[in-house]
Amino acid sequence: MKKLAAGLLAIAALSAHAEDAQGIWSGIIADQVKVVLTVSRAAGGSWEATLASPTQGFSTKVEQFATDPTHISFAIAKFNASYQATWNEKDKAWTGTWTQGRTAPLILQRIDAAGVAALQPKRPQESAIASASAPYASVDIQFASAALQLAGSLTLPRGAGPWPAVVLVHGSGPNNRDEEIFGHKIFLVLADHLARQGIAVLRYDKRGVGKSSGDFKAATTMDFAADAQAAFAFLRSRPEIDGRRIGLVGHSEGGLIAPIVAAREPQLGFIVMMAGPGVRGELLMVEQLALGSESDGAALAKLAKERTMNQALFAAIVGERDREQARIKALGILEQGERDGLLPPGMAAKEAASFTSPWFHAFLSLEPGVALQAVRQPVLALNGALDRQVPSKLDLDAIRAALAHNPRAVVKELPKLNHLFQTATTGAGDEYAAIEETLAPSALAVMADWIRSQVQ
């Protein structure tokens, strides 16, 4: 009888210190990155969990989620990350360790829907657009690009047309029509500003994204250039649009695409390059990765070794027309980087595959100067002085040289702005989500004023 009573007491004690993992949990990795873990259990008993970072604008399903009354664990392979924690009854929290190359403490505490809403970063420009009465109409449209159907929004000023217009061309990545990055709807803010100036705006979901058909992963910059060219042709067919006053505004990769389309389409009126590359992709990536490591606090000796590795890596990829052979060569270089401590263990294969994807393999060889030298239309090339993805001096110097023949080209560096054209402190990527501003008023003014001067 005493043994049975002792056993019951032990079970009661265990239950008092157990916790159901279902629900919403929040914490901060290394006192820097706020995350929200949402855990649910399906009718069949299987667990599902999603990890999101409201401040960094990402959400992903976790893998290998496991739990018992006192433990939880999961992994995220694409981030090379994992988490293990034990239930702390005193603090009512999962106390554990986040591992992603290095380890960091992560304590998760239960929150409700109101708590999740409070974690969402503020986006005052988008909020103002949503709450105000717009002096323009926005209609959903579709247009063809070869065999694809691309979906988008056409913003039209109210009143009698035909209107001057621009096509907005996104940067790299699976961007929707608003070019939504870290919760910032860059193209929504830009379209709103231009429409209020009497300029119609077409923005669209990239192929394979949102409501557009196609395969995003198989596409290259030249495929996206064909889509932008199709968007221009669609605008010219619209009776509300003045076909003689249409331009392209391209951000990042879109700034690479705009000159390509302008060289093909003499009837295009003008182009605006927002942080468009001026040097070959191979050279740009070496600088971009070096600046990223510098922002992460890498030591000078490690930066030098990484630069040497990346120069060899991208030269090897560019030198191989066959993507599989390029991947094999890249893998060898990156595996040596792992052995030298330049990459976290297990990352070589993933990076080799990424850098030899159809898009990357083509991008690394692209020379922006070829198209820029063929452009005869007016050009506005802008870059932020704090841009650490498309470095301002490197790329604007190359763009100036390529446009030296064009008397209607304007090249400007905008002070205090980063790659997204936000007012920034350092320009590092980890600032993007934390900055409330989506597009700096100074950048909006420069673009709108110049575009109005072209269409008038």
Side-chain angles (χ1 to χ4, degrees):
M1 189 70 178
K2 288 182 180 179
K3 288 183 178 180
L4 178 59
L8 290 171
L9 287 170
I11 292 171
L14 177 61
S15 299
H17 294 82
E19 181 67 12
D20 183 355
Q22 292 184 90
I24 306 173
W25 306 86
S26 176
I28 304 177
I29 300 173
D31 295 325
Q32 293 181 331
V33 181
K34 294 180 181 179
V35 293
V36 175
L37 179 71
T38 304
V39 181
S40 61
R41 197 169 193 176
S46 61
W47 291 94
E48 292 184 352
T50 300
L51 188 76
S53 173
T55 55
Q56 293 200 339
F58 81 82
S59 178
T60 185
K61 285 187 175 180
V62 307
E63 300 138 350
Q64 303 170 35
F65 184 87
T67 183
D68 61 32
T70 57
H71 299 86
I72 63 169
S73 63
F74 60 82
I76 306 175
K78 65 182 177 181
F79 295 158
N80 197 33
S82 62
Y83 178 64
Q84 292 187 333
T86 302
W87 178 249
N88 183 323
E89 178 65 18
K90 179 183 177 182
D91 295 335
K92 301 292 184 184
W94 298 105
T95 302
T97 301
W98 174 267
T99 303
Q100 191 177 14
R102 296 175 291 179
T103 60
L106 173 56
I107 298 171
L108 294 175
Q109 293 183 304
R110 192 182 291 278
I111 60 171
D112 56 16
V116 174
L119 290 173
Q120 301 304 315
K122 294 179 181 178
R123 298 290 179 255
Q125 287 167 301
E126 285 89 331
S127 297
I129 293 169
S131 62
S133 177
Y136 53 81
S138 184
V139 295
D140 290 337
I141 51 88
Q142 283 194 330
F143 61 93
S145 178
L148 304 180
Q149 284 293 313
L150 303 183
S153 298
L154 178 59
T155 304
L156 293 164
R158 296 199 186 278
W163 300 102
V166 297
V167 178
L168 304 186
V169 187
H170 345 61
S172 59
N175 288 306
N176 61 20
R177 68 191 70 186
D178 290 333
E179 198 185 37
E180 191 167 353
I181 302 172
F182 296 115
H184 292 286
K185 296 182 178 180
I186 297 170
F187 281 179
L188 172 68
V189 173
L190 181 53
D192 172 83
H193 186 79
L194 293 177
R196 291 172 184 275
Q197 314 285 320
I199 300 160
V201 181
L202 172 61
R203 62 192 199 277
Y204 56 95
D205 300 330
K206 268 190 173 180
R207 59 169 67 193
V209 178
K211 295 182 179 180
S212 291
S213 65
D215 184 355
F216 168 79
K217 291 183 179 179
T220 68
T221 298
M222 301 311 289
D223 295 318
F224 296 129
D227 295 343
Q229 194 171 356
F232 167 63
F234 170 78
L235 274 186
R236 291 190 68 207
S237 72
R238 300 283 295 201
E240 316 98 309
I241 303 301
D242 183 345
R244 300 165 301 170
R245 297 188 293 166
I246 301 175
L248 255 60
V249 179
H251 178 222
S252 197
E253 183 191 11
L256 177 63
I257 288 169
I260 293 173
V261 177
R264 295 173 179 173
E265 294 281 1
Q267 291 179 311
L268 183 69
F270 58 89
I271 62 172
V272 177
M273 301 169 63
M274 299 174 63
V279 299
R280 188 169 70 254
E282 172 191 359
L283 304 178
L284 176 60
M285 287 307 303
V286 170
E287 297 307 315
Q288 186 181 114
L289 291 173
L291 288 169
S293 289
E294 184 180 86
S295 296
D296 291 339
L300 289 176
K302 185 179 181 182
L303 285 172
K305 290 178 181 178
E306 284 183 351
R307 178 181 287 275
T308 299
M309 177 187 73
N310 289 330
Q311 286 171 334
L313 170 67
F314 296 128
I317 294 171
V318 168
E320 274 292 347
R321 297 185 65 180
D322 182 81
R323 284 181 46 234
E324 177 58 18
Q325 290 302 311
R327 187 194 65 80
I328 292 169
K329 288 186 176 181
L331 181 61
I333 293 168
L334 291 166
E335 285 178 337
Q336 183 61 51
E338 277 191 19
R339 291 190 288 271
D340 293 341
L342 301 178
L343 290 173
M347 285 298 292
K350 295 172 187 174
E351 291 206 358
S354 175
F355 286 135
T356 55
S357 68
W359 182 87
F360 245 120
H361 192 243
F363 170 74
L364 292 172
S365 300
L366 273 177
E367 292 275 8
V370 175
L372 285 167
Q373 290 168 13
V375 172
R376 296 295 177 263
Q377 298 94 327
V379 179
L380 175 64
L382 302 174
N383 209 335
L386 298 180
D387 193 332
R388 299 179 79 82
Q389 286 186 240
V390 180
S392 181
K393 178 171 174 49
L394 173 72
D395 289 278
L396 288 186
D397 282 354
I399 290 169
R400 282 190 189 93
L403 291 173
H405 69 285
N406 189 335
R408 297 187 291 174
V410 177
V411 181
K412 281 189 177 183
E413 180 183 78
L414 303 181
K416 300 181 181 179
L417 302 191
N418 61 17
H419 184 65
L420 303 189
F421 289 78
Q422 301 168 300
T423 306
T425 302
T426 68
D430 58 10
E431 288 184 324
Y432 295 169
I435 297 172
E436 293 183 1
E437 177 182 81
T438 294
L439 273 175
S442 59
L444 289 168
V446 168
M447 287 187 283
D449 290 349
W450 186 85
I451 291 171
R452 280 203 314 271
S453 75
Q454 303 309 310
V455 301
Q456 289 171 357

